[in-house]
Amino acid sequence: MERSVRVPLSPQLQDEIAERLRLASGLMETAEIAPTCSEYELRNSLSRLYYAFFHASIALLSATESDIEQISRNHGALHARLQRKFGKTMLISRMIRELYEVRKNCDYETGMFRTKYGGNIEAGRKDSILLLKRAKTQFYWLYHQARKYLDQK
Amino acid sequence: MNLTSNQVEEMIERQLREAALSNFVNRAHSQFLDMQNEMFVEIVLDDATHLEEVEKIVRNTTQELKLQDIKLDSVVRALWEILDVSYVGPSRSADGGLRAASLYDVTLKSGNRQHHVAVDVFWGATEFLKQKRGLGKLTSKSKRDFQNEVVAKAVWSFVQHQLSQGGISYWNPVLHPRLEMNDAAMLFVFGQSTALNELWQAVSDSFEPPVVDSILGSLAASRKKIQNFDAVLPDLSNMLGGAYRKGATFSTSANELFQKLDRSEQELLKKYFYARVELLKTESPDLIRKFSKVFS
């Protein structure tokens, strides 16, 4: 149904996609948020959550579009490609931009928890668990969309 | 000459205004993206009757920009809503042979245009749903109708998901009026209905032998009739929940969950509840005698 024509992927590209998906899946598995995790563990988890999406997106786009290697180092370009592929209002397009903002805050904003949660780590954990829950559904959908292209082997 | 995506948007917007088509554009869904080496526009209409006219405008703009050495990639599509999903019968292939699937007819609407699409639901997908929804247990005469209704609801969600995809992945129901729903698609749709799944499971659990006695006792104590679903609903809250961990949230109020369902899901859940009541009457006459006031 999709506009792009599905052509068999080269074994090398399939390997690259599989490698990306392994990385994405591994990052997602380690993005778990423990009930007693510290602020820094929480920051790490949310940052990994974004990169899980990042690699799964590249895997899917690599299977369907050209020049993905070029955009794999440019977050904005990747988000635009994803938005072109799925539309502006698809949850996946909004989710990756939301997670990117969260990841930037987690990696660079020293006072993020103080500003957003008044230093209440429990509130931060709760919010993050809900975000993770929302994100997981989208992630696995993206992951399986990309996986479909490997099943051609 | 370099153009920004904003300038391309203005060009197209002006032509749409001149052609009196601007009002049909859904701005929340439409997008204009600068993709480094090219521009991408997606024009989304609220009324599919104007698709061809808008496509023509975008094609002309593409040609115009090409003369300036600017590449414009585009999608012009319409927003469709589902009006109805109904079971047709066994699915047949083009040569008339039976397929291992059931056929559902879906009526779509976009502005003034209506369109029908066919969805083949493979038996494997139906079996999966029947098992998950505990439909095998039902013995009432209208069991088959109810099963078809449950599958129709899943087809509705499946088509809704197809329609929700935009960008270059969008589904054009006019060009591709036939869809197939296999077990993987059913699994995905099932996973999306969390509130319905929780409540459905709560109803199923309430009628299981170790629990049903205490539920009926509780209804008797509060003088509630089992034929009044709205009155019984709060008692289903006891069947919700699960392991709690710090920071996590879980459902505790059946009423709140019920409000999250759309009307058709609410009706379906009620029908399932009443079907389980009928089954209970057939299978456990002793309980009917014991709690005669609840069943009166």
Side-chain angles (χ1 to χ4, degrees):
Chain A
M1 275 187 304
E2 197 172 317
R3 190 176 65 170
S4 55
V5 178
R6 191 183 276 205
V7 290
L9 304 178
S10 70
Q12 191 196 340
L13 184 54
Q14 292 211 35
D15 286 345
E16 284 170 19
I17 292 170
E19 194 68 23
R20 285 272 181 197
L21 287 178
R22 267 194 293 278
L23 179 54
S25 169
L27 289 172
M28 179 52 91
E29 280 169 28
T30 54
E32 284 301 326
I33 297 168
T36 53
C37 71
S38 68
E39 173 188 334
Y40 314 103
E41 288 166 325
L42 202 52
R43 284 176 182 264
N44 274 333
S45 292
L46 294 173
S47 185
R48 280 196 293 268
L49 179 60
Y50 169 71
Y51 280 106
F53 267 77
F54 177 82
H55 290 292
S57 304
I58 293 175
L60 176 59
L61 292 171
S62 300
T64 56
E65 297 180 27
S66 56
D67 310 329
I68 297 306
E69 189 53 37
Q70 273 183 351
I71 63 157
S72 66
R73 285 172 188 81
N74 182 337
H75 294 278
L78 177 71
H79 301 164
R81 280 289 181 105
L82 209 60
Q83 193 165 314
R84 179 177 78 158
K85 184 162 183 64
F86 294 116
K88 190 171 153 189
T89 56
M90 248 319 242
L91 268 179
I92 199 88
S93 311
R94 299 204 304 259
M95 179 61 74
I96 198 161
R97 287 183 192 277
E98 180 184 351
L99 291 177
Y100 180 65
E101 288 307 312
V102 170
R103 183 237 124 194
K104 272 200 305 186
N105 284 334
C106 285
D107 287 351
Y108 302 116
E109 282 299 316
T110 52
M112 171 192 162
F113 280 87
R114 200 176 48 245
T115 319
K116 201 171 174 191
Y117 303 107
N120 181 353
I121 184 74
E122 175 59 13
R125 275 193 213 109
K126 188 173 176 178
D127 224 17
S128 305
I129 287 170
L130 290 175
L131 174 64
L132 182 63
K133 199 173 167 186
R134 272 196 297 132
K136 266 189 177 174
T137 317
Q138 297 300 314
F139 173 81
Y140 285 111
W141 181 79
L142 191 61
Y143 180 90
H144 288 292
Q145 289 295 312
R147 277 275 316 195
K148 283 181 189 169
Y149 291 90
L150 301 182
D151 294 336
Q152 294 175 334
K153 268 182 180 175
Chain B
M1 180 187 164
N2 284 325
L3 280 182
T4 64
S5 54
N6 283 344
Q7 289 168 309
V8 173
E9 184 175 359
E10 281 165 20
M11 272 177 81
I12 293 178
E13 182 63 43
R14 191 183 62 245
Q15 293 178 66
L16 289 171
R17 266 200 312 272
E18 286 167 5
L21 292 166
S22 185
N23 287 344
F24 301 110
V25 176
N26 185 306
R27 277 158 186 90
H29 285 81
S30 299
Q31 57 175 342
F32 297 80
L33 295 171
D34 191 339
M35 309 296 297
Q36 294 178 323
N37 302 325
E38 64 178 35
M39 299 282 178
F40 174 74
V41 303
E42 180 182 11
I43 310 284
V44 185
L45 305 181
D46 288 319
D47 189 341
T49 39
H50 300 286
L51 271 173
E52 287 78 13
E53 299 156 84
V54 176
E55 275 167 356
K56 195 175 167 190
I57 286 175
V58 174
R59 260 200 316 272
N60 289 343
T61 310
T62 306
Q63 292 302 323
E64 245 177 80
L65 291 175
K66 198 176 173 187
L67 297 174
Q68 300 172 43
D69 220 17
I70 296 167
K71 195 176 167 202
L72 178 68
D73 186 15
S74 63
V75 161
V76 179
R77 66 183 180 98
L79 289 179
W80 295 88
E81 59 174 315
I82 303 168
L83 286 187
D84 184 52
V85 178
S86 57
Y87 173 70
V88 177
S91 174
R92 291 186 181 275
S93 56
D95 60 6
L98 274 175
R99 303 182 76 201
S102 302
L103 180 64
Y104 286 78
D105 174 69
V106 183
T107 312
L108 300 175
K109 181 178 180 286
S110 175
N112 289 319
R113 187 168 179 178
Q114 277 201 18
H115 183 66
H116 286 267
V117 293
V119 179
D120 290 312
V121 183
F122 288 102
W123 291 345
T126 307
E127 279 308 312
F128 168 83
L129 192 63
K130 276 164 65 178
Q131 199 181 13
K132 284 284 180 189
R133 292 274 181 249
L135 300 181
K137 287 183 175 175
L138 303 183
T139 52
S140 66
K141 279 183 284 182
S142 55
K143 179 181 169 183
R144 183 160 293 182
D145 287 346
F146 183 59
Q147 278 179 6
N148 290 338
E149 212 176 318
V150 172
V151 178
K153 179 63 201 164
V155 169
W156 187 298
S157 304
F158 172 64
V159 173
Q160 190 70 59
H161 178 72
Q162 302 298 324
L163 291 171
S164 71
Q165 293 196 33
I168 57 174
S169 304
Y170 86 105
W171 166 49
N172 184 338
V174 179
L175 277 183
H176 306 280
R178 191 152 198 144
L179 294 176
E180 290 186 342
M181 192 174 185
N182 57 18
D183 42 3
M186 188 63 87
L187 177 67
F188 175 76
V189 164
F190 184 82
Q192 301 297 299
S193 320
T194 46
L196 181 63
N197 292 347
E198 277 192 70
L199 281 170
W200 200 282
Q201 192 59 47
V203 171
S204 298
D205 292 346
S206 303
F207 286 92
E208 288 305 315
V211 183
V212 69
D213 204 296
S214 70
I215 289 269
L216 292 173
S218 159
L219 294 180
S222 50
R223 296 180 182 185
K224 289 178 181 174
K225 308 282 184 200
I226 202 157
Q227 291 298 344
N228 184 349
F229 176 83
D230 295 333
V232 177
L233 182 62
D235 292 66
L236 294 180
S237 299
N238 299 327
M239 308 306 299
L240 299 171
Y244 174 67
R245 62 174 188 158
K246 216 174 172 185
T249 58
F250 62 96
S251 310
T252 51
S253 164
N255 272 327
E256 274 177 32
L257 266 186
F258 191 71
Q259 294 313 315
K260 285 184 186 171
L261 305 182
D262 64 42
R263 186 165 285 277
S264 63
E265 286 174 328
Q266 290 179 345
E267 289 305 314
L268 210 54
L269 186 76
K270 278 186 187 181
K271 279 189 184 175
Y272 177 58
F273 175 80
Y274 290 128
R276 291 304 301 257
V277 172
E278 290 309 308
L279 183 65
L280 187 67
K281 283 180 182 172
T282 319
E283 286 185 341
S284 310
D286 49 325
L287 283 176
I288 313 298
R289 281 191 295 278
K290 187 176 171 186
F291 299 103
S292 56
K293 286 188 177 167
V294 174
F295 285 89
S296 63

